[in-house]
mmCIF file of all heavy atoms in Angstrom:
data_model
loop_
_atom_site.group_PDB
_atom_site.id
_atom_site.type_symbol
_atom_site.label_atom_id
_atom_site.label_comp_id
_atom_site.label_asym_id
_atom_site.label_seq_id
_atom_site.Cartn_x
_atom_site.Cartn_y
_atom_site.Cartn_z
ATOM 1 N N GLY A 1 104.908 100.357 115.881
ATOM 2 C CA GLY A 1 105.388 100.118 114.506
ATOM 3 C C GLY A 1 104.264 100.060 113.492
ATOM 4 O O GLY A 1 103.124 100.389 113.709
ATOM 5 N N ARG A 2 104.661 99.635 112.255
ATOM 6 C CA ARG A 2 103.716 99.531 111.159
ATOM 7 C C ARG A 2 103.679 98.075 110.684
ATOM 8 O O ARG A 2 104.598 97.303 110.859
ATOM 9 C CB ARG A 2 104.151 100.457 109.997
ATOM 10 C CG ARG A 2 104.164 101.922 110.383
ATOM 11 C CD ARG A 2 102.785 102.471 110.538
ATOM 12 N NE ARG A 2 102.044 102.409 109.290
ATOM 13 C CZ ARG A 2 102.145 103.312 108.340
ATOM 14 N NH1 ARG A 2 102.972 104.324 108.434
ATOM 15 N NH2 ARG A 2 101.450 103.185 107.231
ATOM 16 N N ALA A 3 102.605 97.721 109.981
ATOM 17 C CA ALA A 3 102.450 96.376 109.503
ATOM 18 C C ALA A 3 103.551 95.988 108.530
ATOM 19 O O ALA A 3 103.928 96.826 107.675
ATOM 20 C CB ALA A 3 101.106 96.209 108.822
ATOM 21 N N PRO A 4 104.100 94.771 108.642
ATOM 22 C CA PRO A 4 105.206 94.367 107.726
ATOM 23 C C PRO A 4 104.716 94.069 106.335
ATOM 24 O O PRO A 4 105.521 93.975 105.425
ATOM 25 C CB PRO A 4 105.752 93.070 108.377
ATOM 26 C CG PRO A 4 104.569 92.523 109.127
ATOM 27 C CD PRO A 4 103.812 93.706 109.612
ATOM 28 N N LYS A 5 103.424 93.908 106.135
ATOM 29 C CA LYS A 5 102.874 93.800 104.772
ATOM 30 C C LYS A 5 101.411 94.213 104.840
ATOM 31 O O LYS A 5 100.814 94.439 105.927
ATOM 32 C CB LYS A 5 102.995 92.319 104.282
ATOM 33 C CG LYS A 5 102.381 91.264 105.148
ATOM 34 C CD LYS A 5 102.586 89.873 104.521
ATOM 35 C CE LYS A 5 102.044 88.809 105.456
ATOM 36 N NZ LYS A 5 102.150 87.447 104.861
ATOM 37 N N GLY A 6 100.813 94.298 103.686
ATOM 38 C CA GLY A 6 99.479 94.909 103.577
ATOM 39 C C GLY A 6 98.433 94.224 104.408
ATOM 40 O O GLY A 6 98.167 93.028 104.270
ATOM 41 N N VAL A 7 97.767 94.972 105.300
ATOM 42 C CA VAL A 7 96.669 94.448 106.118
ATOM 43 C C VAL A 7 95.346 94.848 105.468
ATOM 44 O O VAL A 7 95.173 95.924 104.933
ATOM 45 C CB VAL A 7 96.761 95.070 107.548
ATOM 46 C CG1 VAL A 7 95.493 94.787 108.302
ATOM 47 C CG2 VAL A 7 97.971 94.517 108.254
ATOM 48 N N ASN A 8 94.423 93.916 105.512
ATOM 49 C CA ASN A 8 93.071 94.202 104.999
ATOM 50 C C ASN A 8 92.093 93.486 105.951
ATOM 51 O O ASN A 8 92.496 92.685 106.808
ATOM 52 C CB ASN A 8 92.909 93.731 103.561
ATOM 53 C CG ASN A 8 91.870 94.519 102.799
ATOM 54 O OD1 ASN A 8 90.842 94.960 103.378
ATOM 55 N ND2 ASN A 8 92.107 94.719 101.510
ATOM 56 N N ASP A 9 90.813 93.721 105.754
ATOM 57 C CA ASP A 9 89.794 93.107 106.579
ATOM 58 C C ASP A 9 89.934 91.554 106.563
ATOM 59 O O ASP A 9 89.829 90.940 105.493
ATOM 60 C CB ASP A 9 88.410 93.480 106.089
ATOM 61 C CG ASP A 9 88.255 95.004 106.021
ATOM 62 O OD1 ASP A 9 88.635 95.696 106.977
ATOM 63 O OD2 ASP A 9 87.788 95.485 104.970
ATOM 64 N N GLY A 10 90.166 90.950 107.716
ATOM 65 C CA GLY A 10 90.307 89.508 107.780
ATOM 66 C C GLY A 10 91.663 88.981 107.345
ATOM 67 O O GLY A 10 91.933 87.773 107.479
ATOM 68 N N ASN A 11 92.512 89.848 106.861
ATOM 69 C CA ASN A 11 93.849 89.470 106.363
ATOM 70 C C ASN A 11 94.889 90.225 107.150
ATOM 71 O O ASN A 11 95.301 91.338 106.780
ATOM 72 C CB ASN A 11 93.953 89.796 104.878
ATOM 73 C CG ASN A 11 95.225 89.242 104.241
ATOM 74 O OD1 ASN A 11 95.939 88.462 104.862
ATOM 75 N ND2 ASN A 11 95.505 89.683 103.041
ATOM 76 N N GLY A 12 95.294 89.628 108.336
ATOM 77 C CA GLY A 12 96.183 90.347 109.216
ATOM 78 C C GLY A 12 95.399 91.232 110.208
ATOM 79 O O GLY A 12 96.021 91.888 111.022
ATOM 80 N N PHE A 13 94.104 91.151 110.170
ATOM 81 C CA PHE A 13 93.224 92.031 110.941
ATOM 82 C C PHE A 13 92.022 91.220 111.416
ATOM 83 O O PHE A 13 91.410 90.503 110.663
ATOM 84 C CB PHE A 13 92.741 93.189 110.077
ATOM 85 C CG PHE A 13 92.094 94.312 110.782
ATOM 86 C CD1 PHE A 13 92.771 95.525 111.026
ATOM 87 C CD2 PHE A 13 90.797 94.227 111.248
ATOM 88 C CE1 PHE A 13 92.174 96.565 111.663
ATOM 89 C CE2 PHE A 13 90.180 95.285 111.891
ATOM 90 C CZ PHE A 13 90.883 96.459 112.122
ATOM 91 N N VAL A 14 91.691 91.397 112.717
ATOM 92 C CA VAL A 14 90.505 90.731 113.262
ATOM 93 C C VAL A 14 89.859 91.641 114.304
ATOM 94 O O VAL A 14 90.566 92.365 115.027
ATOM 95 C CB VAL A 14 90.840 89.340 113.841
ATOM 96 C CG1 VAL A 14 91.827 89.470 115.009
ATOM 97 C CG2 VAL A 14 89.605 88.607 114.271
ATOM 98 N N PHE A 15 88.541 91.593 114.381
ATOM 99 C CA PHE A 15 87.770 92.472 115.289
ATOM 100 C C PHE A 15 86.910 91.583 116.188
ATOM 101 O O PHE A 15 86.232 90.668 115.730
ATOM 102 C CB PHE A 15 86.872 93.417 114.451
ATOM 103 C CG PHE A 15 86.016 94.322 115.238
ATOM 104 C CD1 PHE A 15 86.444 95.611 115.566
ATOM 105 C CD2 PHE A 15 84.724 93.912 115.641
ATOM 106 C CE1 PHE A 15 85.605 96.454 116.284
ATOM 107 C CE2 PHE A 15 83.928 94.752 116.353
ATOM 108 C CZ PHE A 15 84.360 96.037 116.709
ATOM 109 N N ILE A 16 86.945 91.915 117.481
ATOM 110 C CA ILE A 16 86.106 91.228 118.466
ATOM 111 C C ILE A 16 85.132 92.233 119.085
ATOM 112 O O ILE A 16 85.551 93.278 119.607
ATOM 113 C CB ILE A 16 86.952 90.603 119.579
ATOM 114 C CG1 ILE A 16 87.969 89.642 118.974
ATOM 115 C CG2 ILE A 16 86.125 89.863 120.597
ATOM 116 C CD1 ILE A 16 89.307 89.716 119.566
ATOM 117 N N SER A 17 83.839 91.937 118.996
ATOM 118 C CA SER A 17 82.833 92.883 119.495
ATOM 119 C C SER A 17 82.733 92.803 121.004
ATOM 120 O O SER A 17 83.316 91.952 121.679
ATOM 121 C CB SER A 17 81.487 92.556 118.878
ATOM 122 O OG SER A 17 80.848 91.471 119.591
ATOM 123 N N HIS A 18 81.946 93.724 121.568
ATOM 124 C CA HIS A 18 81.760 93.807 123.003
ATOM 125 C C HIS A 18 81.177 92.546 123.600
ATOM 126 O O HIS A 18 81.363 92.255 124.808
ATOM 127 C CB HIS A 18 80.880 95.029 123.340
ATOM 128 C CG HIS A 18 79.540 94.953 122.722
ATOM 129 N ND1 HIS A 18 79.351 94.921 121.376
ATOM 130 C CD2 HIS A 18 78.283 94.997 123.283
ATOM 131 C CE1 HIS A 18 78.042 94.890 121.085
ATOM 132 N NE2 HIS A 18 77.358 94.936 122.207
ATOM 133 N N ILE A 19 80.440 91.772 122.784
ATOM 134 C CA ILE A 19 79.827 90.532 123.309
ATOM 135 C C ILE A 19 80.574 89.283 122.790
ATOM 136 O O ILE A 19 80.062 88.157 122.940
ATOM 137 C CB ILE A 19 78.347 90.448 122.944
ATOM 138 C CG1 ILE A 19 78.113 90.542 121.454
ATOM 139 C CG2 ILE A 19 77.544 91.528 123.680
ATOM 140 C CD1 ILE A 19 76.657 90.281 121.024
ATOM 141 N N GLY A 20 81.727 89.488 122.211
ATOM 142 C CA GLY A 20 82.568 88.344 121.818
ATOM 143 C C GLY A 20 82.423 87.878 120.413
ATOM 144 O O GLY A 20 83.115 86.923 120.008
ATOM 145 N N ASP A 21 81.555 88.490 119.619
ATOM 146 C CA ASP A 21 81.479 88.105 118.166
ATOM 147 C C ASP A 21 82.707 88.497 117.451
ATOM 148 O O ASP A 21 83.271 89.560 117.700
ATOM 149 C CB ASP A 21 80.223 88.769 117.566
ATOM 150 C CG ASP A 21 78.896 88.215 118.075
ATOM 151 O OD1 ASP A 21 78.895 87.041 118.543
ATOM 152 O OD2 ASP A 21 77.865 88.914 118.009
ATOM 153 N N VAL A 22 83.113 87.691 116.492
ATOM 154 C CA VAL A 22 84.329 87.898 115.762
ATOM 155 C C VAL A 22 84.002 88.262 114.285
ATOM 156 O O VAL A 22 83.236 87.526 113.641
ATOM 157 C CB VAL A 22 85.255 86.634 115.779
ATOM 158 C CG1 VAL A 22 86.524 86.865 114.954
ATOM 159 C CG2 VAL A 22 85.598 86.318 117.255
ATOM 160 N N TYR A 23 84.617 89.324 113.819
ATOM 161 C CA TYR A 23 84.377 89.813 112.466
ATOM 162 C C TYR A 23 85.732 90.095 111.814
ATOM 163 O O TYR A 23 86.720 90.336 112.465
ATOM 164 C CB TYR A 23 83.573 91.124 112.488
ATOM 165 C CG TYR A 23 82.216 91.020 113.152
ATOM 166 C CD1 TYR A 23 82.074 91.376 114.468
ATOM 167 C CD2 TYR A 23 81.115 90.617 112.408
ATOM 168 C CE1 TYR A 23 80.798 91.275 115.074
ATOM 169 C CE2 TYR A 23 79.853 90.534 113.017
ATOM 170 C CZ TYR A 23 79.683 90.896 114.357
ATOM 171 O OH TYR A 23 78.472 90.782 114.942
ATOM 172 N N PRO A 24 85.766 90.085 110.473
ATOM 173 C CA PRO A 24 87.010 90.461 109.763
ATOM 174 C C PRO A 24 87.407 91.868 110.053
ATOM 175 O O PRO A 24 88.584 92.263 110.003
ATOM 176 C CB PRO A 24 86.658 90.283 108.267
ATOM 177 C CG PRO A 24 85.469 89.373 108.277
ATOM 178 C CD PRO A 24 84.707 89.713 109.534
ATOM 179 N N SER A 25 86.418 92.729 110.396
ATOM 180 C CA SER A 25 86.619 94.143 110.699
ATOM 181 C C SER A 25 85.365 94.659 111.341
ATOM 182 O O SER A 25 84.265 94.113 111.141
ATOM 183 C CB SER A 25 86.928 94.924 109.415
ATOM 184 O OG SER A 25 86.654 96.292 109.583
ATOM 185 N N GLY A 26 85.472 95.710 112.137
ATOM 186 C CA GLY A 26 84.289 96.353 112.680
ATOM 187 C C GLY A 26 83.445 96.976 111.651
ATOM 188 O O GLY A 26 82.247 97.238 111.860
ATOM 189 N N LEU A 27 84.012 97.207 110.449
ATOM 190 C CA LEU A 27 83.269 97.815 109.349
ATOM 191 C C LEU A 27 82.701 96.770 108.403
ATOM 192 O O LEU A 27 82.000 97.122 107.466
ATOM 193 C CB LEU A 27 84.212 98.743 108.571
ATOM 194 C CG LEU A 27 84.853 99.866 109.382
ATOM 195 C CD1 LEU A 27 85.980 100.484 108.592
ATOM 196 C CD2 LEU A 27 83.816 100.894 109.768
ATOM 197 N N LEU A 28 82.978 95.495 108.688
ATOM 198 C CA LEU A 28 82.509 94.360 107.826
ATOM 199 C C LEU A 28 81.692 93.471 108.692
ATOM 200 O O LEU A 28 82.199 92.494 109.234
ATOM 201 C CB LEU A 28 83.674 93.669 107.177
ATOM 202 C CG LEU A 28 83.416 92.972 105.820
ATOM 203 C CD1 LEU A 28 84.708 92.400 105.218
ATOM 204 C CD2 LEU A 28 82.376 91.873 105.901
ATOM 205 N N PRO A 29 80.414 93.766 108.910
ATOM 206 C CA PRO A 29 79.583 93.054 109.860
ATOM 207 C C PRO A 29 79.105 91.664 109.419
ATOM 208 O O PRO A 29 77.914 91.425 109.305
ATOM 209 C CB PRO A 29 78.401 94.022 110.104
ATOM 210 C CG PRO A 29 78.290 94.724 108.780
ATOM 211 C CD PRO A 29 79.680 94.850 108.270
ATOM 212 N N VAL A 30 80.042 90.806 109.128
ATOM 213 C CA VAL A 30 79.738 89.404 108.760
ATOM 214 C C VAL A 30 80.367 88.519 109.839
ATOM 215 O O VAL A 30 81.587 88.410 109.889
ATOM 216 C CB VAL A 30 80.310 89.030 107.370
ATOM 217 C CG1 VAL A 30 79.970 87.598 107.037
ATOM 218 C CG2 VAL A 30 79.719 89.966 106.279
ATOM 219 N N LYS A 31 79.554 87.994 110.680
ATOM 220 C CA LYS A 31 80.039 87.228 111.859
ATOM 221 C C LYS A 31 80.619 85.895 111.458
ATOM 222 O O LYS A 31 80.080 85.128 110.695
ATOM 223 C CB LYS A 31 78.875 87.036 112.820
ATOM 224 C CG LYS A 31 79.223 86.276 114.092
ATOM 225 C CD LYS A 31 77.986 86.119 114.944
ATOM 226 C CE LYS A 31 78.244 85.217 116.146
ATOM 227 N NZ LYS A 31 77.045 85.017 116.972
#
């Protein structure tokens, strides 16, 4: 399916790196 409302970095979206670091997005490298 598709998101029920607008997703943005850190807003409905979260990224976990290979070593477990958490970022708002893989494109927004602020841990």
Side-chain angles (χ1 to χ4, degrees):
R2 298 288 298 277
K5 57 180 176 177
V7 168
N8 208 326
D9 306 312
N11 187 12
F13 192 104
V14 62
F15 178 93
I16 302 138
S17 82
H18 59 301
I19 57 174
D21 290 336
V22 179
Y23 301 95
S25 159
L27 302 167
L28 207 174
V30 179
K31 181 180 171 182

